[in-house]
């Protein structure tokens, strides 16, 4: 079974630039999560999709972050414009059923904003 | 909103000693999951607990879910160097008709050989 694919693995940008991350979840997984993990902290949920609908984005900084999941499969997370404090690992995860099954994580994208 | 805290934040133990991390949620959970993250890696699922008072074992690891379904613990007996990593609990709770998976703050375990 293929795992959760994320790209790119690493990204370095200057503040005020924009960046996009891509995630391909495990086939058949209805729930897709984007987490932000700052060094030394636990993953913080940014947005949760059920198929192609958003079920929770309460911690997403909507003035600069956006995410979409077209056709209920792949997802992209965008930051525009980036700030220094956005430096973190962005983890995508998917699960069969929201909250009831294990979440499978991708390798993550390490973003450095300079 | 739902908050999940873990203590301790760090734990250094001699190889062969036991280790315990505790997880507390601000709200009642429908289930709790535990994950392990190796340095430089991503979280990997260990186990899920669903029932009040449930206890599950995986070799040297023992997981407990509290009676009120608001707290949990992970105990490792006779730690080995392969146990190094950060252990996260993740609480699943209903939020306006949807189940949200909230990660705890994590306990970072280091082993002194």
């Amino acid at each position: 079974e293929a795992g959760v694919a994320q790209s790119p693995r690493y990204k370095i940008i200057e503040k005020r630039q924009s960046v996009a991350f891509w995630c391909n979840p495990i086939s058949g997984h209805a729930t897709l999560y984007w987490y932000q993990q700052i060094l030394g902290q636990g993953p913080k949920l940014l947005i949760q999709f059920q198929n192609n609908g958003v079920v929770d984005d309460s911690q997403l900084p909507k003035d600069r972050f956006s995410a979409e999941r077209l056709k209920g499969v792949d997802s992209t997370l965008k930051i525009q414009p980036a700030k220094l404090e956005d430096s973190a690992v962005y983890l995508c995860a998917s699960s069969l059923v929201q909250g009831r099954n294990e979440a499978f994580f991708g390798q993550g994208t390490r973003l450095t904003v300079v | 909103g739902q908050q999940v805290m873990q203590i301790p934040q760090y734990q250094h133990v001699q190889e062969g000693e036991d280790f315990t991390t505790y997880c507390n949620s601000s709200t009642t959970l429908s289930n709790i999951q535990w994950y392990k993250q190796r340095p430089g890696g991503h979280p990997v699922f260990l186990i899920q607990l669903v029932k009040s008072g449930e206890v599950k074992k995986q070799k040297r690891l023992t997981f407990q879910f509290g009676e009120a379904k608001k707290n949990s613990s992970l105990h490792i007996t006779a730690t080995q160097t392969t146990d190094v990593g950060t252990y996260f609990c993740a609480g699943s709770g209903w939020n306006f008709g949807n189940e949200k998976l909230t990660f705890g703050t994590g306990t970072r375990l280091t082993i002194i050989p």
Side-chain angles (χ1 to χ4, degrees):
Chain A
E1 179 181 78
V4 176
Q6 285 189 251
S7 66
R9 287 294 310 277
Y10 305 93
K11 191 74 176 178
I12 301 174
I13 61 172
E14 295 183 349
K15 58 184 179 183
R16 292 187 288 274
Q17 285 188 323
S18 62
V19 64
F21 313 127
W22 173 81
C23 173
N24 187 358
I26 292 173
S27 177
H29 280 195
T31 304
L32 186 147
Y33 310 88
W34 281 103
Y35 286 90
Q36 179 194 58
Q37 187 173 28
I38 293 172
L39 188 64
Q41 299 183 16
K44 170 188 165 186
L45 180 66
L46 293 176
I47 190 166
Q48 178 176 331
F49 291 94
Q50 181 68 14
N51 295 310
N52 61 345
V54 175
V55 298
D56 191 291
D57 62 356
S58 55
Q59 298 193 91
L60 187 74
K62 298 180 186 64
D63 58 334
R64 298 184 301 108
F65 286 63
S66 64
E68 60 182 8
R69 190 183 183 194
L70 298 176
K71 300 179 181 179
V73 182
D74 292 10
S75 178
T76 55
L77 176 69
K78 295 179 182 177
I79 307 175
Q80 182 180 8
K83 292 185 176 181
L84 296 176
E85 59 260 37
D86 298 332
S87 294
V89 175
Y90 290 84
L91 294 162
C92 177
S94 70
S95 68
L96 199 57
V97 178
Q98 58 175 342
R100 289 296 177 115
N101 299 92
E102 66 177 284
F104 293 84
F105 282 82
Q107 297 289 332
T109 297
R110 183 176 298 277
L111 173 68
T112 303
V113 182
V114 298
Chain B
Q2 183 177 301
Q3 292 185 335
V4 181
M5 302 297 294
Q6 280 182 257
I7 55 170
Q9 188 175 1
Y10 303 97
Q11 187 79 57
H12 312 283
V13 300
Q14 292 274 356
E15 187 175 8
E17 290 183 339
D18 293 355
F19 159 77
T20 304
T21 173
Y22 301 91
C23 175
N24 289 285
S25 169
S26 60
T27 59
T28 302
L29 302 169
S30 58
N31 71 76
I32 194 152
Q33 301 173 14
W34 284 91
Y35 291 78
K36 176 182 178 180
Q37 186 173 27
R38 293 183 184 274
H42 57 279
V44 175
F45 176 82
L46 294 176
I47 207 161
Q48 176 175 277
L49 304 170
V50 179
K51 299 177 183 177
S52 169
E54 188 171 14
V55 178
K56 287 189 177 180
K57 292 188 176 183
Q58 285 182 350
K59 297 183 181 179
R60 296 179 293 104
L61 279 61
T62 302
F63 304 83
Q64 290 188 314
F65 200 9
E67 294 289 341
K69 300 185 76 174
K70 294 181 72 173
N71 56 72
S72 181
S73 65
L74 158 60
H75 179 83
I76 302 178
T77 304
T79 54
Q80 300 174 359
T81 55
T82 52
D83 296 325
V84 164
T86 302
Y87 292 85
F88 293 99
C89 62
S92 182
W94 286 98
N95 180 44
F96 300 105
N98 293 290
E99 285 209 79
K100 179 178 170 179
L101 192 63
T102 302
F103 275 74
T105 47
T107 297
R108 183 175 176 181
L109 173 64
T110 56
I111 307 287
I112 305 166

